[in-house]
Each structure stands twice: as structure tokens, then as C-alpha cells.
Amino acid sequence: MLPDELPSPDDSMEDLLAAFGQGLTGEQTHARWMRLALEEARIAAAEDEVPVGAIVVAAGRVIASAHNQREQLADPTAHAEMIAVTQAAAALGSWRLEGCTLYVTLEPCPMCAGAILQARVPVVVWGAPDPKAGAVESLYRLFEDSRLNHRVDHTGRVLAEECGQILTTFFRGKRK
């Protein structure tokens, strides 16, 4: 259950919710939410941060949105997912993020995957694979590890090309 004091959806959210009412498929729904995470990634790029964005959705509403802030905060844990999970827990007044879906533009790393597991996030949708640090599919499969006490349903490669391109463009600019 969401607190009543959560802010009202903005115009883009109203558009999303209207679209959901028109019977979008799961893939279309994921793509629409991922576009909001991509907006966060663009904010990160504008702030000269690695462009990764994340949102948390509960009951059809965005309850958290974040982007990487490692440079700004001088904090190695300030990944988009970590910040979004913390915001969502504050919004819900609980560390258990049951009933939530996390959308993130890059496959979560081991740190973020661990936090997602600890927060009991039941569903994660990610964009681009991360062959160097991905802990969902690329290097590890933490969400499916039977030794852990929680599992996470996940869907990967949603808008993968767009999610990957923003990273490629960012790092290409850094190498110039």
C-alpha cells in the first residue's frame, strides 16, 4: 500500500497511465517505463556521470527515480539502483519492496543485485547487458541462485540498443 502523501504523477506519468489503460502488452509496458529510466540516464550524462538511470514502480506509479551519482557524491555505492531502492523504501516506509518493479538501463552489478535481493524486489527489468560487471545474466546469475533465500523475476534487454547507445556515446566522448 502506498502512502497518501506521495506526489501526484506528472504529465508524462499521466500519459503512461492512460496508455496502460489501453491494454498494452507486457513488452510495451516495460518499454514505456524504461523510457523514464532512460530520462534519468540522460540526466546523469548531463551531469558527467556514467549514464545509468533507474525507476521503481509500485501500484502503477513511479515511487522512486534516480541516476548514477558516484562522482557528485564521491560515493562508490551511488549507483542508480542503490539510490532508487533507498528512495522507494523511504516512500513505502519499509525496506521490503514487495509489489515493486525496478527498471534500470544497465544490467545490475553484484552490489546492486545484492541490494535488490535484500530489499525483496520481486521484479527487475533491465536494458543493456553489462559484460564486465553484470550480475543477472552476463557474469553471474544472482537472481536465480538457489542458495539464496529470495528470487527475482527479471526481463533483460528491454530497449537494449537505446540503453547501450547512451553508454557508448558517453564513453566515446570520455576517450576523446
Side-chain angles (χ1 to χ4, degrees):
M1 183 164 247
L2 295 174
D4 293 330
E5 64 272 13
L6 285 176
S8 304
D10 63 13
D11 291 340
S12 62
M13 282 301 300
E14 288 175 13
D15 292 343
L16 274 174
L17 293 173
F20 291 146
Q22 297 170 7
L24 294 177
T25 66
E27 186 176 316
Q28 291 169 321
T29 299
H30 288 332
R32 286 187 180 255
W33 289 122
M34 187 63 76
R35 285 189 180 88
L36 291 179
L38 273 163
E39 285 304 313
E40 284 291 331
R42 288 183 187 95
I43 293 168
E47 295 173 355
D48 204 29
E49 295 278 357
V50 174
V52 176
I55 66 167
V56 178
V57 176
R61 295 178 62 188
V62 174
I63 62 167
S65 60
H67 55 274
N68 276 5
Q69 294 184 355
R70 293 189 319 168
E71 300 298 329
Q72 290 174 59
L73 300 177
D75 179 354
T77 69
H79 288 198
E81 303 97 303
M82 299 291 284
I83 297 167
V85 163
T86 299
Q87 288 176 354
L92 295 176
S94 174
W95 63 268
R96 290 179 185 89
L97 300 184
E98 297 162 342
C100 294
T101 301
L102 171 73
Y103 289 85
V104 60
T105 58
L106 182 65
E107 178 185 3
C109 72
M111 174 183 66
C112 294
I116 290 163
L117 285 159
Q118 290 298 314
R120 307 298 192 262
V121 177
V123 180
V124 172
V125 179
W126 51 273
D130 186 350
K132 294 183 179 179
V136 178
E137 189 177 282
S138 296
L139 295 180
Y140 306 103
R141 294 183 177 272
L142 290 181
F143 291 168
E144 299 166 12
D145 192 324
S146 63
R147 296 168 296 178
L148 300 173
N149 66 341
H150 181 65
R151 306 285 175 283
V152 178
D153 289 330
H154 59 92
T155 301
R157 294 175 167 73
V158 173
L159 299 182
E161 187 173 321
E162 196 172 340
C163 292
Q165 188 59 51
I166 192 170
L167 287 159
T168 300
T169 301
F170 177 81
F171 286 115
R172 186 176 295 137
K174 288 289 185 191
R175 287 189 290 271
K176 285 186 179 180

